[in-house]
Amino acid sequence: MRRHHDNEVHEDEIHEHDRGLSYDLPVLARRRMIRLMAGVGAGLVPLVGCTADDTSSAAASPSAPSAGAASSAECATVPEETAGPYPGDGSNGVNVLKESGVVRADITRSFGDSAGGTAEGVPLTFTLTVVDAASGCGTPKRGAAVYVWHCDREGGYSLYTEGVADENYLRGVQETDDRGRVTFTSVFPGCYTGRWPHIHFEVYGSLADATTATAITSTSQLALPKDVCDAVYATEGYESSVDNLGRLSLESDSVFRDGHDQQLAVVKGSVVEGYTATLTIAV
């Protein structure tokens, strides 16, 4: 069952789902049980990811059959995560997935009849590789689809946040290639109150499923490393992110605090040249 209350809040917004630790404990307990039971039945948790080290090694060897190629022993479970209050997939208001133009690699600009704005920030190109869990992460999932979305430099979400509600930037869908990969051109997301810097994604069995917003296979989030966040947030436009990040850690974040090893992206690059991020997931 998908959850849509991940304590995502802005400084000027307090959502009903922000109920504190006492509310989160049953959810965390359930997720820990799922992680403990992962080795008992293959059907318990649909989303699996290779470790950051696995992803880094595969990224250095582009001739490999997929960036997720690994033995079953290295194929570690990634928790199913909430889509949050701003998914844009029709589960909470607006549905961008049915709009012409959502299938794209460059998600920095709005498309269609929206305001036509462009998200500003430090360039970030990120690649997700979808692989088959039953194969031990060794076989790419060709023809699957991935929908991604994240906040802008100021911490706002297009389609929802005041000031950018008429925009649909930083959202897009792609079909996986022969290596199970999708690559998006974007900007580095900001850090808003209460959440560690992250990127949301939903995996679908096919592009047709994604563009009709049906049959989601898995929902999760990608975490960004602290050292990279610190470097980015020292640049112009990310001023509010500095204090927000200073009050957080991966261990205290409402989503990542019960384990983030399989969600932490491998990030390379610089503020001047831009960054690349990679993460391998299996379904």
Side-chain angles (χ1 to χ4, degrees), residues 33-279:
M33 181 59 68
I34 291 174
R35 292 168 71 87
L36 289 172
M37 293 293 290
V40 177
L44 290 178
V45 183
L47 182 62
V48 179
C50 296
T51 63
D53 287 342
D54 296 332
T55 308
S56 180
S57 298
S61 179
S63 61
S66 78
S71 71
S72 58
E74 297 172 312
C75 210
T77 300
V78 176
E80 182 86 359
E81 303 290 12
T82 175
Y86 315 117
D89 62 1
S91 61
N92 185 22
V94 64
N95 189 344
V96 75
L97 293 176
K98 295 184 177 182
E99 295 186 16
S100 175
V102 72
V103 180
R104 58 193 185 142
D106 187 342
I107 61 174
T108 58
R109 298 177 178 84
S110 290
F111 63 90
D113 296 330
S114 53
T118 299
E120 302 294 337
V122 172
L124 172 67
T125 299
F126 60 97
T127 298
L128 301 178
T129 301
V130 184
V131 293
D132 182 26
S135 72
C137 294
T139 303
K141 295 284 285 185
R142 302 175 180 87
V146 183
Y147 166 47
V148 301
W149 71 99
H150 63 82
C151 72
D152 60 20
R153 182 171 61 180
E154 288 77 27
Y157 281 87
S158 67
L159 303 177
Y160 292 92
T161 303
E162 183 177 358
V164 295
D166 292 331
E167 305 289 354
N168 56 27
Y169 55 48
L170 306 183
R171 298 177 184 274
V173 177
Q174 282 195 72
E175 183 178 35
T176 58
D177 63 16
D178 287 346
R179 292 185 175 184
R181 293 177 177 177
V182 291
T183 298
F184 294 91
T185 300
S186 190
V187 296
F188 204 94
C191 179
Y192 54 86
T193 303
R195 280 307 318 278
W196 188 262
H198 61 284
I199 296 172
H200 293 269
F201 61 88
E202 291 175 342
V203 180
Y204 293 80
S206 68
L207 188 60
D209 286 344
T211 53
T212 55
T214 58
I216 298 173
T217 301
S218 302
T219 304
S220 195
Q221 299 179 26
L222 173 157
L224 293 161
K226 184 179 186 303
D227 60 338
V228 179
C229 293
D230 286 337
V232 172
Y233 297 161
T235 65
E236 183 179 359
Y238 288 95
E239 289 81 4
S240 64
S241 294
V242 176
D243 289 339
N244 291 334
L245 185 67
R247 293 190 288 267
L248 292 167
S249 69
L250 279 162
E251 289 71 23
S252 67
D253 180 73
S254 60
V255 168
F256 300 125
R257 64 187 171 195
D258 67 341
H260 54 266
D261 290 348
Q262 314 312 321
Q263 294 162 287
L264 188 62
V266 174
V267 181
K268 300 178 180 180
S270 67
V271 168
V272 175
E273 297 180 355
Y275 289 92
T276 62
T278 57
L279 185 69

